[in-house]
Amino acid sequence: MARKLPKVDVVIIGVGWAGGIIASELTKKGLKVVGLERGKERKTEDYFMVHDELRYALRYEMMQDLSKETITFRSNEKFRALPMRQYGSFLIGDGLGGSGVHWNGQTFRFLPYDFQIRSQTIEKYGKNKIPAEMTIQDWGITYDELEPYYDTFEKMAGISGEENPLAGKRSSKYPTPPLKKTKAMELFTDSAKRMKLHPYVQPAANLSESYSNPDGISRAGCQYCGFCERFGCEYGAKADPVVTVIPVAQKTGNFEIRTHSNVRRILKTGKKATGVLYTDVTTGEEIEQPADIVVLTGFVFNNVRLLLLSNIGTPYNPNTGTGSVGKNYAYQVRKGNAVGFFDKKEFNNFAGAGALGMILDDYNGDNFDHSKLNFIHGGMIILGQTGQRPIQNNAVPKGTPTWGADFKKASLKYANSTLTVGGEGSSMAFRHHFLDLDPTYKDAYGDPLIRITFDFEDQDREMSKYLASKCADILKEMGADHVDYMQDLGPYDVSTYQSTHNTGGVIMGSDPSTSAVNSYLQMWDVDNLFVVGASAFPQNAGYNPTGTVGALSYRAAEGILKYHDKGGQVV
């Protein structure tokens, strides 16, 4: 029988960006909060002098142990799903701070179009522009309504950046200046401007200078070491929950973190959550933590899985289109890339930062005319300089032998003479893309794994080819002597890394019949349960999701405080 602990005001499941932000905001208001994190404790000192590409980038030191819990995947309902036994398409973080510790720091605001995509697409192009099987929907909130929360997140994290000429209006400038421009970035900027495009320096959670945020947290500037993605930052220059919001919550004395605590069920009576049941990973003991409010702040797969295991909400049925838990799983289409090889130019590709680069949004959202195109939306185009580490980077032109003397010669020739311009494409929701519990495979505790049903569509193929051709045009303008770019997008491959930008499954909206949570990420069915994260996205935009997750987390924290004061559905 589980050991039952004294009740607290709030229990948070997962202490990453969403959990850390909510803990910070609630504890500052005096609420007693317990944060349950199934991974281990983390601190900045853990990363001193450990720029170890093999340990972190290839052996996945910070990721979930797939031998104990993984996902299963199938491309459509005709096939039996099989478990992902080694990391490929995406990486699932584990430990205090979650994926917020090993992210690159690329921080964007979604476009105003993204939040009203269905209504604005129909208004401009008519209903027939949206395929019958595409289930995109408006978010139930507008960009203008979310803008103040973007601003709060950026000031907390100290985001470095400059104005995006094609973005929504800002209430204030970025809190710190943009990162330095490299030779490659300057070449991209000059070329893009000649093409009448609108480049800007990528917004970054890698600080361009020392900064103190509104909570009094001070951090040092980026060293441009190039070890961001899949690594923790030993300087604290990359904003992550462990060096920003978690210390603020701890300082109040109202926040208790319990690591190695794997939540297996949300408990409820009638239409109220009563707490959670978790297993102490170190001892195997089952523990019940009662709470007045439960906040689910895990990664997409964990949020959906825990709701389904707890019988909360109606599971999505792709055959009838009913139900909302598991609905509208979407990804990020990052195949529209081009690689340029320069015979007479060299660049310092080894140096960089996780969010160092140039962006343009001329082909993102609805910033260009789609009337004669066989897709909607698009994606940003990026030249990134994240730091090319030695093991994972070895670009050579197509047609080069894959081993031997000619391979070595080309590798040496182009080691610092290669640039990639890539398209980060949106991912639209489709009726037959969803998450549910696998009927066959279980985790180490005997609970069903989460199952993904997903594949690329004609929408993705057309968009990727379009973006790839635009990327190739830019590289040619930059003077590349040889350009390779994607010609056709094949089936989705779960074994090859693409991005960790999984979204959907507990989507937000204004209608309980088509969404799981409201605009404060409060469950329609259980009003003292809030589900926070990219699981709320009804579809994915042409940007990295973290900035929007941060903004939604601040809004959710506001909603939780309103609920704590008055109860009922928060409006």
Side-chain angles (χ1 to χ4, degrees):
M1 185 174 178
R3 177 164 60 95
K4 190 171 183 177
L5 301 177
K7 183 189 281 190
V8 295
D9 294 324
V10 181
V11 62
I12 292 173
I13 308 168
V15 190
W17 267 128
I21 288 170
I22 287 168
S24 173
E25 295 304 291
L26 301 190
T27 55
K28 285 190 287 188
K29 296 297 184 181
L31 276 66
K32 298 293 184 180
V33 179
V34 167
L36 300 175
E37 170 56 53
R38 66 182 182 179
K40 63 183 180 181
E41 174 73 24
R42 283 191 181 134
K43 55 187 182 301
T44 305
E45 290 79 6
D46 295 339
Y47 314 116
F48 285 176
M49 303 303 292
V50 284
H51 287 181
D52 189 333
E53 185 180 4
L54 187 63
R55 175 182 174 186
Y56 287 99
L58 298 173
R59 293 180 176 166
Y60 310 112
E61 171 80 10
M62 294 187 176
M63 311 309 167
Q64 178 177 298
D65 185 347
L66 298 183
S67 70
K68 296 179 179 178
E69 181 186 329
T70 184
I71 59 95
T72 69
F73 167 78
R74 60 183 181 174
S75 57
N76 62 63
E77 294 176 77
K78 296 178 182 179
F79 295 98
R80 174 181 171 179
L82 296 173
M84 184 173 73
R85 299 195 182 277
Q86 62 183 26
Y87 277 110
S89 181
F90 45 78
L91 306 176
I92 307 171
D94 189 58
L96 190 65
S99 298
V101 174
H102 59 77
W103 71 315
N104 256 330
Q106 300 177 8
T107 312
F108 296 91
R109 297 181 175 199
F110 285 4
L111 297 169
Y113 169 75
D114 288 313
F115 298 98
Q116 298 171 287
I117 184 171
R118 183 173 181 83
S119 57
Q120 288 193 12
T121 299
I122 291 173
E123 180 181 353
K124 185 172 181 180
Y125 302 106
K127 287 185 178 181
N128 291 336
K129 189 67 175 176
I130 301 174
E133 292 296 301
M134 186 183 286
T135 54
I136 59 172
Q137 61 187 59
D138 294 354
W139 289 49
I141 190 172
T142 66
Y143 171 85
D144 289 342
E145 290 172 309
L146 195 59
E147 196 281 333
Y149 306 98
Y150 273 123
D151 187 67
T152 300
F153 178 76
E154 290 167 356
K155 288 175 178 174
M156 173 277 295
I159 302 302
S160 302
E162 67 177 356
E163 190 79 19
N164 174 2
L166 299 178
K169 292 182 179 179
R170 301 179 58 89
S171 56
S172 59
K173 295 181 179 180
Y174 284 104
T176 52
L179 293 169
K180 295 178 180 179
K181 270 191 177 182
T182 65
K183 177 181 177 182
M185 291 166 65
E186 289 174 347
L187 180 60
F188 178 94
T189 301
D190 294 341
S191 301
K193 286 183 176 179
R194 287 197 301 270
M195 300 170 72
K196 309 300 181 185
L197 302 173
H198 301 83
Y200 62 98
V201 179
Q202 183 174 5
N206 324 106
L207 282 176
S208 61
E209 61 186 21
S210 297
Y211 176 71
S212 294
N213 75 9
D215 288 319
I217 298 292
S218 297
R219 296 162 38 230
C222 179
Q223 305 296 307
Y224 298 92
C225 70
F227 285 80
C228 289
E229 184 185 17
R230 309 186 189 188
F231 298 82
C233 180
E234 69 265 44
Y235 298 103
K238 180 177 68 174
D240 74 52
V242 176
V243 298
T244 54
V245 287
I246 292 175
V248 173
Q250 290 176 310
K251 188 177 180 180
T252 67
N254 295 323
F255 187 40
E256 179 188 355
I257 299 173
R258 298 179 197 155
T259 52
H260 303 289
S261 299
N262 191 356
V263 177
R264 296 177 57 202
R265 296 294 186 277
I266 299 169
L267 305 175
K268 72 182 181 76
T269 300
K271 292 192 174 183
K272 293 288 184 181
T274 59
V276 301
L277 179 69
Y278 71 93
T279 299
D280 184 324
V281 176
T282 60
T283 66
E285 181 184 18
E286 288 193 345
I287 301 170
E288 182 181 339
Q289 177 59 69
D292 291 326
I293 300 171
V294 177
V295 189
L296 181 47
T297 52
F299 193 62
V300 165
F301 303 135
N302 300 327
N303 282 357
V304 177
R305 181 171 183 249
L306 197 49
L307 290 177
L308 293 173
L309 288 173
S310 305
N311 295 313
I312 295 175
T314 305
Y316 174 65
N317 185 330
N319 297 315
T320 62
T322 58
S324 56
V325 178
K327 177 182 178 181
N328 281 26
Y329 169 74
Y331 190 45
Q332 192 95 68
V333 185
R334 297 185 70 176
K335 294 289 190 177
N337 295 341
V339 182
F341 299 89
F342 296 80
D343 291 335
K344 298 179 181 179
K345 292 180 181 177
E346 290 191 343
F347 310 95
N348 292 330
N349 290 336
F350 62 89
L356 180 63
M358 297 300 302
I359 305 289
L360 57 85
D361 284 316
D362 297 77
Y363 309 110
N364 202 353
D366 198 40
N367 289 337
F368 57 109
D369 186 14
H370 290 73
S371 298
K372 297 181 180 179
L373 300 173
N374 294 323
F375 64 92
I376 65 169
H377 211 296
M380 69 176 183
I381 284 180
I382 175 172
L383 179 139
Q385 188 155 347
T386 59
Q388 290 192 359
R389 298 181 292 270
I391 298 176
Q392 291 180 291
N393 295 282
N394 191 36
V396 293
K398 286 183 180 179
T400 302
T402 55
W403 65 285
D406 289 341
F407 171 72
K408 293 177 182 179
K409 182 178 179 181
S411 296
L412 291 171
K413 177 179 179 179
Y414 292 112
N416 287 298
S417 298
T418 304
L419 296 177
T420 297
V421 175
E424 179 153 321
S426 57
S427 182
M428 298 296 98
F430 284 81
R431 183 171 179 150
H432 45 279
H433 295 171
F434 62 97
L435 303 172
D436 65 354
L437 294 177
D438 192 283
T440 304
Y441 295 98
K442 295 177 170 54
D443 68 6
Y445 297 101
D447 292 327
L449 298 177
I450 199 73
R451 176 172 64 178
I452 303 172
T453 303
F454 176 81
D455 202 353
F456 290 138
E457 304 290 335
D458 288 341
Q459 152 78 23
D460 306 313
R461 285 183 271 275
E462 293 294 324
M463 179 186 65
S464 293
K465 286 192 291 185
Y466 183 87
L467 291 176
S469 68
K470 299 300 181 184
C471 293
D473 290 343
I474 294 170
L475 278 166
K476 291 171 185 174
E477 183 68 26
M478 291 170 66
D481 296 285
H482 178 83
V483 177
D484 291 332
Y485 65 98
M486 193 214 76
Q487 303 290 329
D488 291 296
L489 179 67
Y492 171 68
D493 180 5
V494 75
S495 69
T496 303
Y497 184 76
Q498 291 158 67
S499 87
T500 303
H501 306 161
N502 301 278
T503 66
V506 196
I507 63 175
M508 61 190 291
S510 57
D511 184 349
S513 69
T514 58
S515 59
V517 295
N518 65 16
S519 68
Y520 286 96
L521 308 192
Q522 178 186 30
M523 285 286 293
W524 293 112
D525 297 341
V526 181
D527 66 7
N528 66 333
L529 172 60
F530 291 74
V531 185
V532 188
S535 55
F537 295 9
Q539 53 275 323
N540 202 10
Y543 291 121
N544 301 55
T546 306
T548 301
V549 170
L552 288 173
S553 299
Y554 276 106
R555 182 172 170 84
E558 182 181 294
I560 294 166
L561 290 169
K562 288 181 179 181
Y563 176 83
H564 179 263
D565 292 341
K566 297 182 180 180
Q569 284 291 322
V570 182
V571 294

